[in-house]
Amino acid sequence: MLERLKMLLKGSDYMEDTIAAISTALGVGAISIVRVSGPKAIEIVNNIFTKDISEVKTHTIHYGFIVDKNEKVDEVLVSVMRGPRTFTTEDIVEINTHGGINTTNKVLEILLVNGCRLATPGEFTKRAFLNGRIDLTEAEGVMDLINSETDVARKMALNQVNGNVSSMISGLREKLAAIISNIEVNIDYPEYDDIKVMTIDDIKKQINIIEKEIKKILDESDNGEILKNGIKTAIIGKPNVGKSSLLNKLIGEEKAIVTNVKGTTRDSVEATVNLDNIVLNLIDTAGIRDTADLVESIGVSKSIELIDEADLILFVLNYNEVLSDEDLAILDKLENKNYITIINKIDLAKKIDDRKLKNKIYVSALSGENIDSVKNKIKELFNLDKIKTSDLTYLTSARSKAILVKVLDSVNDIKQAINDNMPIDMLEIDLKNIWNDLGSIIGENYDEELLDQLFSRFCVGK
């Protein structure tokens, strides 16, 4: 399906267009880059540049001016890269302008007037994919590389860009292809005595190996997701137990407002902290209590919703107060959740009955006492010290993981079919379906709508 889609797109006006976009952040800076890609990239830029670049060598840089009619617009450096040795495999020209919103936009405007079309989000990367320069996992790695917030996330994304994740999936497909091809030869050419006969036992043995590899990839993908997206951590509790103070101490700055007035935090306050190359996405929530205040009650509802959405709950209690009905109701909701009980205000007299509380840490958010113990407990809870960071070949895309879960279900179906003595030619159909599903992870088969959705998440100019 994908090959047909590629042929259709290549034969359409879509792939005949020469596209342009600003590839750097728009604002005041030393330089900006305007990227042009397509069959007329060199011709269009040549028409608005003071130096003739129509016959220059590939991968060369040229000094001159961008002009609009007879007016000089900007002094620039123009990089000329001829296909197929480019990111999109098409001719690419990059115009290095002086940084600034007006100048950069003016250069882009002149390009559009002279025949370019404004690129859609991710269209340069999409063309790289459609032209066979990269596959889908590599394309997703490009986006992850742009969005990476830690050094580990950057390295993991670079592994995808370099094709390491693709190789992992391709290896599974090769094992399946070997089984399928052997079965087909046995069926179509039974007279060939020198070809190994694929038996049910052979298929079962190979399927068990494939199943083990898929489970390993899925298990490690959870670690990859933590490394990529961090841990969504909600700070939950009644008003005035010290949630905002705890957030401030964890991040090392006064971001959340701290007062003695109940209901000060009416909406969530978000912040991030780097914990040994893992991002904690902290959310300080509105104190959970019954309230007649409409705005505060909305905040309370959002706090309760976050209990279900968060990867980790920091449940804050007051060392100086007895457990209330509200505290107990929150505890009930936390059952089967990842949570740490933070007992705050240990500088005050103890009134809390903490005998039945789990995962408890005693802190003073006011002085910062034992805050490091909270961080260490998070590491322990998520096994952060055991997450492998030397080989960062992880499958982190939710799309890819969903497909792989489906593949694992299909593998289990094949194992059941083998136990039910299903004929080998029927098993071959299921094996081919798995091979195709694995192909959709790396983009060997795909449909146009999902392709558009994937690349629309990129920024314009990439």
Side-chain angles (χ1 to χ4, degrees), residues 258-286:
V258 177
T259 74
N260 292 323
V261 179
K262 290 185 178 182
T264 299
T265 304
R266 296 186 168 209
D267 199 359
S268 56
V269 177
E270 299 185 16
T272 61
V273 62
N274 193 320
L275 185 63
D276 289 355
N277 271 317
I278 306 295
V279 174
L280 282 187
N281 299 302
L282 293 163
I283 308 168
D284 176 25
T285 64

Side-chain angles (χ1 to χ4, degrees), residues 18-55:
T18 296
I19 57 174
I22 299 168
S23 291
T24 47
L26 196 57
V28 177
I31 62 168
S32 292
I33 297 175
V34 183
R35 177 180 288 170
V36 186
S37 179
K40 295 184 177 180
I42 296 173
E43 176 188 335
I44 291 172
V45 175
N46 192 58
N47 290 337
I48 63 171
F49 190 45
T50 52
K51 180 176 180 179
D52 185 358
I53 58 170
S54 59
E55 301 296 332

